[in-house]
Amino acid sequence: MTDVLRRGRASLAFGFFAQGAAFALLVTRIPAVQDRYGVSDALLPVFLAAVPILAGVGSVTTEQLVKRVRPSRLLRWSQPVVLLALLGVGAGGPGEVAALAVALGVFGLAVGALDASMNMLGVSLQRSYGRSIMLSFHAAYSLGGIVGASLSWAGAHWHLALWVSYLPVVAVLLPATLTASRWYVDGGGVAGSGGEEPGGGGTLVFKLLLPLCLVMTFAYIGDSTVSNWSAKYLKDVLGSSEQLATVPYNVYMVTTLVGRTLGDLGVRRFGAVAVVRAGAVVAAGGFAVVAAAPGAWAGMLGFTLLGLGLCVLVPQTFAAAGRLFPGASDAAIARLNIFNYVGFLIGSPLVGALGDGWSYRGAMLVPMVLVLVTLAYARSFATQPDRYGGGHERPRTADVGRGSNGL
């Protein structure tokens, strides 16, 4: 069983890696996508908003589907759709806005199912391990983001067509993720089709989940600001070249990788509450530096701090939802994942509207304030001391939640 869990952890980490690479390839080439299809600055926020809306639909659908289909199967087939949709974004001809809309629509729906099912498997594996490992999965996502952003930089540097940049990545990742999916582990610790029975028991009380939903929203408002506006901010506000404008997201992903790689150790040593509080303060400092940056390299410093701060919030929010509802963690994660897209839906248009109507520097102060509000909800990340003690990780022998085998 230990070998099954280890293979399941490795294969799921690769799934996170592939998604990080695909997402980075899309968001870091937004200026190139805009230029290729002739999307105006006024229409661009509409396209950016449509993706998280459809992803939210995909997450809601996943909440219903996991009552009948195991999360591992949903993840196995949603990931190839995401990769093919990415290729579709790059394959359209100049001015074919309708083709772009279809590709982004498919991408959004599939991403919703992928994100929800991926984090469901991560939370159930953490429960089976009996210690914090959730940040390690998101570290793999960050590593994928670094690879994807680096490939985007190369594409911009050599002026490659979008489909030329995307095709080799899809050709490698699509068969690789399908192969790795053979070892996905569901809640019961059984690879592939085994594990927790669909439609497992447990009640989801949304009132108890709401603080985590707000934290998720604030975290993704911050993350979407970096993902969707960092390249444009560096190019239009700080005067960088198009090539250099692809770097902030890469810097952001490098620092999220570092923070998430070390984050599980921090949670085990200091507890989730302390780690979340520290992350919120550092992220707010990063936004302040970005807003006040006199030039591109100072902006890079701000994005560095943002990566170190924001990186811990999302994984710990998913993990906290799994602890809060051990008998209904799949439903809780799917519901919580919707607020991932609520954050994107609010963040991208909000920054764009404030940037156009006021200033992009001033717009960076809004996510700064919202991230600081996370401090008010930090106690929601505490474990239950009467059951597990200490406010840190639950002892392995006490880890008897849904589908746990005690390992």
Side-chain angles (χ1 to χ4, degrees), residues 85 197 203 218 220 225 287 295 315-316 387:
E197 288 299 320
T203 301
F218 299 153
Y220 269 102
T225 300
F287 276 116
Q316 283 307 301
R387 292 178 62 194

Side-chain angles (χ1 to χ4, degrees), residues 124-188:
S124 65
L125 270 172
Q126 176 166 285
R127 182 181 298 109
S128 295
Y129 265 79
R131 65 178 187 272
S132 179
I133 62 171
M134 194 65 182
L135 279 155
S136 68
F137 294 124
H138 286 260
Y141 178 93
S142 298
L143 180 60
I146 293 168
V147 172
S150 299
L151 292 173
S152 289
W153 178 90
H157 179 69
W158 282 294
H159 305 287
L160 300 178
L162 286 172
W163 72 269
V164 175
S165 297
Y166 293 164
L167 181 59
V169 177
V170 173
V172 171
L173 291 182
L174 197 152
T177 53
L178 283 174
T179 300
S181 70
R182 297 172 55 194
W183 294 284
Y184 287 157
V185 175
D186 286 289

Side-chain angles (χ1 to χ4, degrees), residues 29 33 57 69 99 144 148 165 180 203 217 243 291 304 307 319 321 335 351:
R29 298 304 305 275
V33 171
V57 173
V69 182
S165 297
T203 301
T217 301
Q243 180 178 326
T304 299
R335 191 76 58 86
V351 170

Side-chain angles (χ1 to χ4, degrees), residues 286-330:
F287 276 116
V289 171
V290 169
W297 293 105
M300 297 290 185
L301 174 60
F303 289 114
T304 299
L305 293 174
L306 279 171
L308 289 173
L310 290 176
C311 70
V312 299
L313 300 183
V314 172
Q316 283 307 301
T317 306
F318 280 121
R323 289 194 300 268
L324 188 60
F325 300 100
S329 68
D330 287 350

Side-chain angles (χ1 to χ4, degrees), residues 20 35 67 73 123 209 224 228 272 305 307-308 329 352 355 374 394 404:
D35 291 342
K67 297 176 182 179
R73 293 182 180 176
V123 168
L209 187 65
S224 69
N228 290 322
L305 293 174
L308 289 173
S329 68
T374 296
R394 290 183 284 176
S404 174

